[in-house]
Amino acid sequence: MKRIGTALLVAVTGLVFVLLYGPLLVPITSSFFTVSHGAVDWSQPTADAYAALTRNESVLAALRTTLIVGVSAVVLSVVIATGLALYVASPEAKGRRFLQFVIFLPFLMPPIITGLALLIFFREINFERSILTVIIGHTVFVLALVYRTILVRLQSLSGSLVEASYDLGASRWQTFRLVLLPNLRGAMAGGAILAFALSFDETMITLLVTGTQSTLPVRLWAMMRLGFTPDINALVTLVLLFTTALCLVAVRFVAPVQAAAGGD
């Protein structure tokens, strides 16, 4: 009976993996082999799709915009989240619950609501939509994730570290730079990686607050009406490799943070 249960579990797990990751093989295969009428020509592997991708200026421009937005949102969210986490974790902090409510609300609401709220806000203050509004929207969206990651690590640290630093005559800045920052680097890096992954994929908020410059998800969404060219398969393959590497790095930083929090 135990063997039957194990075999059934393996079969279900295998089916889930096939359903989740099987479709990813289609663009990967299409980026190296010619596909015609559902048949793959395995005899002639080619890298023409990757060469064509280097000449697709509109897609490359959208990719550059996505990277600029992602990196900017990550930097802003890490800086803001670190300051908020330090304030919330301090004994003299006031209004913790309200502050955390404000931080988590944009992340928990449907993206279309967050995007509409930002769109209305920018219109009311006569702020023209541009790449800057997209950066602001992404920062608001990913802030909660980075904040929570840093706060969990901060709360897992022993309070005696900070007390000892103050007893030895260190200032607040010296305590942060020499004591807290080395212990928070892993959490900050892990939160930054996860935030970049969310920003890279975000579409709904971007659609509502974007200006003339499109990010890659918005550009691909617009191309769905006319169909994808072979070079998009190459792009999908490269993005899959990049996001897989990003996930592995995120696990490298996030897992120790969770282990440390659980151990304390």
Side-chain angles (χ1 to χ4, degrees), residues 250-263:
V251 170
R252 166 66 179 82
F253 286 105
V254 174
V257 173
Q258 294 177 339

Side-chain angles (χ1 to χ4, degrees), residues 182-231:
N183 288 282
L184 293 178
R185 282 175 181 169
M188 293 168 69
I193 293 171
L194 294 176
F196 182 82
L198 281 179
S199 174
F200 193 93
D201 184 55
E202 175 52 43
T203 303
M204 185 57 66
I205 294 176
T206 308
L207 278 172
L208 293 170
V209 300
T210 191
T212 57
Q213 294 175 283
S214 297
T215 60
L216 184 60
V218 174
R219 175 63 182 166
L220 293 178
W221 180 83
M223 293 176 66
M224 288 177 60
R225 303 174 184 176
L226 301 176
F228 295 128
T229 52
D231 55 330

Side-chain angles (χ1 to χ4, degrees), residues 26-28 30-32 49-50 228-238:
V26 175
I28 295 176
S30 300
S31 68
F32 291 104
Y50 294 87
F228 295 128
T229 52
D231 55 330
I232 300 302
N233 294 321
L235 176 65
V236 171
T237 302
L238 294 175

Side-chain angles (χ1 to χ4, degrees), residues 39-92:
V40 182
D41 184 5
W42 300 102
S43 62
Q44 295 182 343
T46 177
D48 290 345
Y50 294 87
L53 178 61
T54 62
R55 299 189 295 270
N56 195 331
E57 186 55 36
S58 62
V59 171
L60 294 179
L63 179 59
R64 285 193 295 269
T65 301
T66 300
L67 295 177
I68 293 172
V69 170
V71 172
S72 301
V74 164
V75 172
L76 289 174
S77 62
V78 168
V79 172
I80 297 172
T82 302
L84 292 172
L86 290 172
Y87 173 77
V88 170
S90 63
E92 63 272 13

Side-chain angles (χ1 to χ4, degrees), residues 88-177:
V88 170
S90 63
E92 63 272 13
K94 297 180 180 179
R96 285 191 183 93
R97 292 185 177 180
F98 177 75
L99 182 60
Q100 294 193 93
F101 171 79
V102 173
I103 295 172
F104 284 108
L105 187 60
F107 185 77
L108 297 176
M109 287 192 305
I112 189 172
I113 302 300
T114 302
L116 282 173
L118 289 170
L119 175 61
I120 294 171
F121 172 75
F122 291 139
R123 283 185 175 179
E124 289 296 323
I125 64 173
N126 294 321
F127 197 87
E128 186 177 355
R129 287 183 294 170
S130 62
I131 190 173
L132 181 58
T133 58
V134 178
I135 292 173
I136 294 173
H138 283 216
T139 302
V140 170
F141 179 66
V142 303
L143 179 62
L145 179 63
V146 183
Y147 164 79
R148 183 59 185 172
T149 305
I150 295 176
L151 182 63
V152 168
R153 178 55 181 155
L154 185 61
Q155 291 176 334
S156 70
L157 298 178
S158 175
S160 60
L161 291 175
V162 176
E163 294 175 1
S165 177
Y166 289 150
D167 290 340
L168 293 173
S171 64
R172 287 180 176 268
W173 170 246
Q174 289 174 324
T175 299
F176 171 75
R177 183 169 59 90

